[in-house]
Amino acid sequence: MIRDDKRIRIIIGHYGSGKSEFAMNYVTKLRNEVEGKVALSDLDVVNVYFRTREKKDLLNSLDILPIYSSIDAPTLDLPAISPQIMSPITDNSYSYVMDVGGDNVGARVVGRFHELIEKADYDMFCVVNANREYTQSVEDVIGHIRAIEKSSGLKVTGLVNNTHLVRSTTIDDVLKGQKLVEQVSRQYDIPVKYIVCLEELVPQLPEGLEGEIFPIKLYMREAWM
């Protein structure tokens, strides 16, 4: 259950991994599982597409605090981080999800707060899409993780298999990604936390896979995308 994860959940992943889609699904499920305050911060100041800040109204309607920029212009890509992101780090009454930029450059943002985060209770999950160019091999994924850890000053604590082709995703895509993350898990000694797939594909998943099955909806893409 995601409520059993550490209080601060940091979501990282390469461009095209579906990191922000996972973060949106994660925080909405979290809202249903925990009492008290829930917050989601969008710290992706590198990638201009599919940012969780675009779902501010939905988050507010679900009683989830959205934190993004110090400038109230969610459609603009401005590297302006709100000081509000610090409050849920130090306030233990919050369950906190942090959607971080897609590479080691983006991870520098959360790295500014690594000393505070290390003193708190945190997980950092690496979202992997084996269909993306730079995360198709064990060596690529481990190299990405090492770069993120070096830049952020924090350790990845779990892997998320989010191998997809958006609405064209098949069960073979999911299993392809699962084979990859299980290999990374054994070689880098990080557990597989979640197996992400579209809700309609869940019945096709075989038993015995490492990680918890995590059905998702497509919040970040309109029906025509």
Side-chain angles (χ1 to χ4, degrees):
M1 302 290 284
I2 64 175
R3 67 185 178 209
D4 297 326
D5 293 337
K6 301 295 179 62
R7 185 180 68 81
I8 298 173
R9 292 91 160 169
I10 303 166
I11 312 299
I12 65 165
H14 223 300
Y15 303 118
S17 64
K19 167 183 62 66
S20 293
E21 189 72 81
F22 174 72
M24 274 295 300
N25 277 269
Y26 188 102
V27 78
T28 55
K29 292 177 189 294
L30 182 64
R31 173 71 284 174
N32 290 330
E33 290 190 14
V34 300
E35 298 180 356
K37 295 180 286 188
V38 175
L40 170 67
S41 61
D42 182 351
L43 302 185
D44 192 344
V45 296
V46 178
N47 183 15
V48 300
Y49 303 108
F50 305 117
R51 298 166 300 182
T52 49
R53 71 188 74 175
E54 297 169 4
K55 300 300 178 182
K56 179 179 72 171
D57 292 341
L58 173 60
L59 292 167
N60 280 321
S61 72
L62 297 173
D63 193 27
I64 299 168
L65 174 65
I67 304 170
Y68 48 99
S69 173
S70 58
I71 300 172
D72 190 14
T75 60
L76 299 180
D77 189 53
L78 301 172
I81 299 299
S82 170
Q84 192 180 16
I85 70 170
M86 291 183 60
S87 179
I89 295 175
T90 57
D91 186 344
N92 290 334
S93 67
Y94 273 98
S95 293
Y96 194 18
V97 179
M98 306 176 78
D99 179 12
V100 179
D103 62 6
N104 59 310
V105 176
R108 290 177 189 166
V109 177
V110 75
R112 292 167 54 187
F113 310 100
H114 79 273
E115 291 183 357
L116 287 174
I117 293 171
E118 282 182 322
K119 293 176 183 177
D121 200 22
Y122 85 92
D123 273 312
M124 186 157 72
F125 299 138
C126 180
V127 179
V128 177
N129 180 358
N131 285 331
R132 294 297 294 175
E133 181 180 3
Y134 299 111
T135 51
Q136 293 185 354
S137 71
V138 173
E139 293 74 22
D140 286 342
V141 176
I142 290 177
H144 174 61
I145 290 172
R146 284 176 172 158
I148 292 289
E149 290 182 332
K150 182 178 179 180
S151 185
S152 67
L154 301 167
K155 290 294 185 180
V156 171
T157 62
L159 299 167
V160 177
N161 173 22
N162 190 33
T163 301
H164 68 90
L165 291 170
V166 196
R167 291 183 176 84
S168 299
T169 304
T170 68
I171 198 66
D172 289 337
D173 292 310
V174 179
L175 295 178
K176 169 186 173 181
Q178 187 65 17
K179 180 178 179 181
L180 175 63
V181 295
E182 289 184 5
Q183 289 174 332
V184 172
S185 173
R186 289 191 292 272
Q187 189 161 324
Y188 204 65
D189 196 26
I190 302 174
V192 179
K193 286 292 296 185
Y194 297 109
I195 306 163
V196 178
C197 69
L198 296 170
E199 293 175 331
E200 58 268 29
L201 293 180
V202 170
Q204 299 180 45
L205 287 172
E207 296 182 359
L209 300 177
E210 295 180 28
E212 179 181 335
I213 296 172
F214 193 101
I216 64 164
K217 302 176 182 178
L218 295 180
Y219 287 104
M220 302 305 298
R221 290 178 179 264
E222 305 299 333
W224 54 271
M225 299 177 76

